[in-house]
């Protein structure tokens, strides 16, 4: 029986057990997915204990995506370059780290708006943290230019300089980005701004929107952030944060089991859960 789980702190009302229980049912595999909350001050000791358990794999969430790396036996190139791991595969007692965030995000967009993958020429990423980095590197395989805006321009400069030269655009202040929003085919909000319990917040003023542009937000509580609501009112197409969560989970499951699942079949029920 597969032994899977999630480590992080706090874990709260994580949807991961529900997601992976559905994936197990889809594939006919037997297993369980446990939440394993670890206090940051106990991390080293708890991880050493976890090494002694017969796990097949586990997910890693905040604040341990970097902290887990010294405990791994190996790490794939993407996760190494990002400096963050969200999935660990255990094989023959060895731990190997991966990062499925960026590819999960890209696949979730492809599933709903396949045209944007091939047609987008200019993309704006709001934020420069771990999620922004993962998404930016996944986008760097497409034929487009990536601009980045962030409250701290130096962090945006650092992320942009790490991307392949062919996709590097420019760094903008939040005000500059707001004034230039109608220049972008695809705008991706990667910060925690607008997340419950402060859903009234918005990371950037949405005053101008390009026709048929796609606005995306990785926040999924609330399901529709103020950022997406304002963009939709201006005529943009919108992409919701829970889809990234769903598709990156499917990538993790495939790494553990070599089985493909059908994430789209869970979207409606997932939305119902998030809406309460």
């Amino acid at each position: 029986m597969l032994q899977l789980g999630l480590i992080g702190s706090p874990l709260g009302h994580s949807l991961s057990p529900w997601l992976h229980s559905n994936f197990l049912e889809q594939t006919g595999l037997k297993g369980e997915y446990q939440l394993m909350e670890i206090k940051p001050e106990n991390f080293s000791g708890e991880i050493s204990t976890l090494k002694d358990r017969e796990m097949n794999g586990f997910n890693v969430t905040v604040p341990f995506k970097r902290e887990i790396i010294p405990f791994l036996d190996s790490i794939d190139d993407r996760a190494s370059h990002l400096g963050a791991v969200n999935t660990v595969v255990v094989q023959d007692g060895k731990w190997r780290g991966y990062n499925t965030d960026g590819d999960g995000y890209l696949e979730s967009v492809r599933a709903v708006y396949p045209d944007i993958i091939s047609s987008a020429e200019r993309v704006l990423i709001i934020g420069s943290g771990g999620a922004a980095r993962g998404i930016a590197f996944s986008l760097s395989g497409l034929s487009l230019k990536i601009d980045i805006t962030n409250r701290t321009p130096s962090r945006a400069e650092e992320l942009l300089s790490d991307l392949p030269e062919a996709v590097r655009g420019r760094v903008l202040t939040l005000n500059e980005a707001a004034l230039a929003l109608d220049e972008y085919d695809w705008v991706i909000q990667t910060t925690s701004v607008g997340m419950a319990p402060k859903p009234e917040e918005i990371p950037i003023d949405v005053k101008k929107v390009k026709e048929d542009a796609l606005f995306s937000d990785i926040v999924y509580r609330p399901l529709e952030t103020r950022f997406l609501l304002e963009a939709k009112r201006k005529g943009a197409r919108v992409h919701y944060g829970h889809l990234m969560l769903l598709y990156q989970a499917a990538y993790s499951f495939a790494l553990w089991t070599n089985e493909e699942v059908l994430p789209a079949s869970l979207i409606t029920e997932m939305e119902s859960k998030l809406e309460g």
Side-chain angles (χ1 to χ4, degrees), residues 172-194:
L172 298 91
T173 66
L174 292 173
N175 286 336
E176 289 171 341
L179 293 172
L181 268 187
D182 58 350
E183 299 176 14
Y184 295 99
D185 308 298
W186 191 351
V187 180
I188 308 167
Q189 201 295 105
T190 71
T191 76
S192 61
V193 176

Side-chain angles (χ1 to χ4, degrees), residues 42-82:
N42 298 337
F43 184 69
S44 295
E46 294 282 357
I47 288 299
S48 297
T49 300
L50 190 60
K51 282 256 187 186
D52 295 330
R53 293 177 58 179
E54 293 186 3
M55 301 288 295
N56 297 97
F58 56 93
N59 289 125
V60 185
T61 189
V62 292
F64 303 133
K65 289 186 178 185
R66 291 182 182 271
E67 282 75 4
I68 192 67
I69 292 174
F71 297 89
L72 302 173
D73 296 290
S74 60
I75 184 170
D76 88 324
D77 290 343
R78 171 68 62 83
S80 178
H81 196 76
L82 294 175

Side-chain angles (χ1 to χ4, degrees), residues 27 34 62 87 101 104 120 130 133 143 147 151 168-169 173 184 219 222:
T27 55
Q34 307 171 53
V62 292
T87 303
D101 284 337
R133 183 170 285 269
S143 298
D147 291 354
R151 284 183 300 180
R168 285 183 211 157
T173 66
Y184 295 99
V219 170

Side-chain angles (χ1 to χ4, degrees), residues 138-156:
S138 289
L139 291 179
S140 67
L142 306 178
S143 298
L144 42 73
K145 287 286 186 183
I146 299 172
D147 291 354
I148 302 173
T149 183
N150 191 56
R151 284 183 300 180
T152 308
S154 59
R155 292 194 64 193

